[in-house]
Amino acid sequence: MSASSRPRRPTVEDVAAVAGVSRGTVSRVLNGGHYVSPDAAAAVQRAIRKTGYVVNQHARSLVTQRSDSVAFILSEPQERLFEDPNFNVLLRSCTQELAERDITLLLTIAGTQADRQRVGRWVTAGHVDGVLLVSEHAGSPLIDELRSRGLPIVACGRPIGHEREISYVAADDRDGARQMVSYLRSRGRRTIGIITGPLDTPGGVDRLAGYRDVIGEPDPRLVGTGDYSQASGEAAMDDLLRRAPDLDAVFVCSDLMALGAVSALHHAGKRIPDDVAVGGFDDSKAALTSTPSLTTIRQDFTRVSAEMVRLLLATIGTENRSAVTLPTDLIIRNST
Amino acid sequence: MSASSRPRRPTVEDVAAVAGVSRGTVSRVLNGGHYVSPDAAAAVQRAIRKTGYVVNQHARSLVTQRSDSVAFILSEPQERLFEDPNFNVLLRSCTQELAERDITLLLTIAGTQADRQRVGRWVTAGHVDGVLLVSEHAGSPLIDELRSRGLPIVACGRPIGHEREISYVAADDRDGARQMVSYLRSRGRRTIGIITGPLDTPGGVDRLAGYRDVIGEPDPRLVGTGDYSQASGEAAMDDLLRRAPDLDAVFVCSDLMALGAVSALHHAGKRIPDDVAVGGFDDSKAALTSTPSLTTIRQDFTRVSAEMVRLLLATIGTENRSAVTLPTDLIIRNST
DNA sequence: TCCCACACTGTGAGCGCTCCCAGAATCACT
DNA sequence: AGTGATTCTGGGAGCGCTCACAGTGTGGGA
């Protein structure tokens, strides 16, 4: 009954029989067609179409020891994924970049500790040949687990505490921050605050470092921290205004937080950029469409994706790690 | 060199040797531990830990003919995913629901035609035991391809044109629309417009049908169409106001579009709800936090997810299809 | 005492595929 | 005609696992 409704899938053997050739020849056709006569190849192609044959990936992977898929692991509570437009670009570009090489990208969300364990087991069970790691906070045990299995990994952004162990691709956060703060200075701003991201992420520490490069040791009144969400940006701005009512510019380390900061400034009756200039980071769509449009720093996530994929595929098979840092660009708009 | 840096993974045989038992016993421990003596089981567990053994999923799948994963296929340009909060809930709940049964969910995005082909091949190569299909527009060929392979499918929302072929779980869109429009009527509104979703989606046609159930054959001036995006809601509302300046209520078929409609109404100088009452659909977070808060229809996507998973797992192994329609609830807030 | 049920264990077979090697056929030169 | 290179083909082996089955040992009931 079940056998009649779901018939046995055709195998290479079946295709071979229909095509009048052997298993080996069918396999050769399936894998590039070298050393196969045109006649045989055509017969096999016909037989594949006729039988509706599709390769059994498990059988193939069992012998080749590779799965032709890579995991895109997001170890972050899921909401962030949907709030942050950067993930969007990153995910799309990586998928694209891999599809061109006939490799499938599998998105896996490992928000909770339990998730991370499950994902760890799943990944090491052979499902993927490598891992793209996104937004891994410092000290997560997942990296160690994956490394102990010898799995190729490429991280997006500097993996704090693991810089010398795993490959990564990062935009030049520090230089971007320097560019922004220097620019604000050059426009005559003197009391420049900062709203950083979480300080266990590279975007948090490196952008703060860039700010310091220009400002020097900052007045603690001028430093606030958010978690990249709009709400946290608004709260941090409120705090900053309370502590330092005299500030005339603020560098907010993400556009989304900058949007929050803008509305906090509005509520406080400040004009932008007349009273307070606001600089963001990311060059997200929101930065362009907001009122006023946001001066920001562009990170080229399409290039980041391409580099990540290139690096991962290079890492699969060899054992070297490397790091790439891509430039960031200042985009000047109306908020400064 | 490569052999020394990435040592051969331990196999059941290795574990068996360390534990001093046979292959079969290790396998039995791995699969529930029935008919294994406590001593043997303990020895195997110790050996697993010592060797760092992880099952080779490909070898297992090859013999069991199942992969213990299911695909979550999103055949929609990717941006929608990130705009629509419903996807978020759906994805999270399904992952959760499946994880409890030790099944992995693989998210796959098939936005373009080429993607859909790749995904079709990938799915039929045995990577997954079943498919959760989300937001499949009418007439997509993916459904036919998957069906011809005998793959268990459960759709989210009524799959237009395939209702009798594949299982699905849907919220009661039509009744939700009826509730909303009846409610607007009961509040004394007489000229009630509608902004529908795309009319090749069940959410598009069914909510319009519910509106008709209450209104009867509608004045074409009162019917606008959007694509669920905020921008399209705003545009459709502008149109509606131009064509029917006298309307005193509008039922907008998604909260996101309703937000757009609200801003269009504001620009036109209309007060909400005094001049025009606005009803949404989805009960998204935005509906709650917007000004004014939005009267809307709740769809319980957590329950939808649970039902989808239940149905899919039931379908895997049997050949029956079924359909579940879950109730929708009116949530009254300040916009009406 | 014998016998059968029951708990437990080891082993052969085989899932569907690719890799490798031996051999056949073809061709170009000696 | 003989030799060697080159192209092509078939089939054995084996990837790591589970399943079925045969076999061993133990205990309880006739």
Side-chain angles (χ1 to χ4, degrees), chain A:
Chain A
M1 159 115 201
S2 166
S4 74
S5 56
R6 232 188 281 172
R8 200 176 58 81
R9 295 174 47 159
T11 71
V12 271
E13 212 87 43
D14 299 325
V15 175
V18 171
V21 298
S22 76
R23 220 170 3 111
T25 301
V26 175
S27 178
R28 258 169 251 129
V29 171
L30 254 29
N31 294 284
H34 300 304
Y35 290 95
V36 179
S37 67
D39 281 5
V44 169
Q45 293 292 4
R46 241 177 293 124
I48 287 177
R49 225 151 328 159
K50 186 168 169 195
T51 53
Y53 172 80
V54 180
V55 69
N56 180 323
Q57 187 60 47
H58 298 300
R60 174 179 278 175
S61 293
L62 184 56
V63 32
T64 60
Q65 305 279 26
R66 27 185 307 151
S67 64
D68 297 317
S69 343
V70 311
F72 189 95
I73 301 184
L74 204 61
S75 41
E76 189 75 53
Q78 192 181 341
E79 302 89 57
R80 283 264 289 122
L81 163 69
F82 297 91
E83 269 196 36
D84 191 335
N86 291 332
F87 282 135
N88 197 335
V89 176
L90 207 58
L91 180 56
R92 174 208 297 293
S93 308
C94 285
T95 307
Q96 181 66 32
E97 204 72 39
L98 285 164
E100 281 167 16
R101 298 165 172 82
D102 237 334
I103 297 176
T104 310
L105 182 147
L106 305 175
L107 174 68
T108 315
I109 295 157
T112 69
Q113 204 53 35
D115 282 352
R116 268 187 276 274
Q117 282 206 350
R118 265 199 25 261
V119 168
R121 253 189 307 132
W122 180 79
V123 163
T124 50
H127 280 108
V128 295
D129 301 330
V131 168
L132 298 169
L133 216 49
V134 178
S135 149
E136 188 63 29
H137 283 245
S140 156
L142 193 56
I143 291 185
D144 290 326
E145 159 131 30
L146 298 180
R147 281 218 331 126
S148 76
R149 300 289 174 179
L151 245 129
I153 309 177
V154 173
C156 175
R158 194 163 58 80
I160 297 182
H162 297 271
E163 291 92 337
R164 324 204 128 266
E165 300 162 8
I166 69 178
S167 303
Y168 65 92
V169 178
D172 198 335
D173 284 304
R174 187 161 182 166
D175 185 61
R178 271 195 297 255
Q179 288 182 58
M180 175 63 77
V181 180
S182 303
Y183 169 73
L184 292 171
R185 270 267 173 95
S186 76
R187 304 287 290 178
R189 307 293 171 161
R190 285 294 159 259
T191 313
I192 305 174
I194 182 171
I195 298 177
T196 74
L199 293 175
D200 57 350
T201 65
V205 294
D206 291 349
R207 293 171 201 172
L208 178 57
Y211 169 83
R212 282 195 161 122
D213 287 344
V214 179
I215 299 282
E217 192 53 41
D219 183 343
R221 289 183 313 131
L222 294 174
V223 180
T225 299
D227 63 6
Y228 293 129
S229 74
Q230 186 161 351
S232 76
E234 187 161 355
M237 191 71 240
D238 281 338
D239 265 18
L240 236 49
L241 280 174
R242 207 166 303 124
R243 296 202 303 258
D246 56 322
L247 59 69
D248 57 6
V250 60
F251 167 40
V252 190
C253 291
S254 87
D255 284 348
L256 213 55
M257 290 199 294
L259 258 41
V262 164
S263 69
L265 287 166
H266 276 152
H267 286 147
K270 302 279 190 182
R271 289 166 307 159
I272 303 170
D274 311 63
D275 299 329
V276 178
V278 177
F281 207 106
D282 286 343
D283 191 30
S284 63
K285 216 168 84 184
L288 188 56
T289 58
S290 68
T291 315
S293 61
L294 221 52
T295 294
T296 188
I297 298 288
R298 165 171 298 154
Q299 312 182 61
D300 190 342
F301 278 100
T302 309
R303 244 182 97 194
V304 170
S305 308
E307 282 298 325
M308 285 177 72
V309 168
R310 193 185 59 71
L311 220 54
L312 186 65
L313 297 182
T315 309
I316 293 175
T318 73
E319 204 59 32
N320 308 315
R321 60 154 291 287
S322 50
V324 175
T325 303
L326 298 171
T328 43
D329 302 309
L330 177 66
I331 312 282
I332 299 170
R333 299 214 179 88
N334 302 329
S335 67
T336 57

Side-chain angles (χ1 to χ4, degrees), chain B residues 35-115:
Chain B
Y35 290 95
V36 179
S37 66
D39 281 5
V44 169
Q45 293 293 5
R46 239 176 296 125
I48 287 177
R49 225 153 325 158
K50 184 166 170 197
T51 54
Y53 173 80
V54 180
V55 69
N56 181 323
Q57 187 60 45
H58 298 300
R60 173 181 279 175
S61 292
L62 184 55
V63 30
T64 59
Q65 305 279 25
R66 26 185 309 151
S67 64
D68 298 316
S69 351
V70 312
F72 188 95
I73 300 184
L74 205 61
S75 40
E76 189 75 55
Q78 192 182 342
E79 300 89 56
R80 284 264 287 120
L81 163 69
F82 298 91
E83 270 197 33
D84 191 335
N86 290 334
F87 282 134
N88 196 335
V89 176
L90 207 58
L91 181 57
R92 174 210 297 293
S93 308
C94 284
T95 307
Q96 182 66 32
E97 204 73 38
L98 284 163
E100 282 167 17
R101 298 165 172 83
D102 238 331
I103 296 175
T104 310
L105 181 146
L106 305 175
L107 174 68
T108 315
I109 295 158
T112 70
Q113 203 53 35
D115 281 353

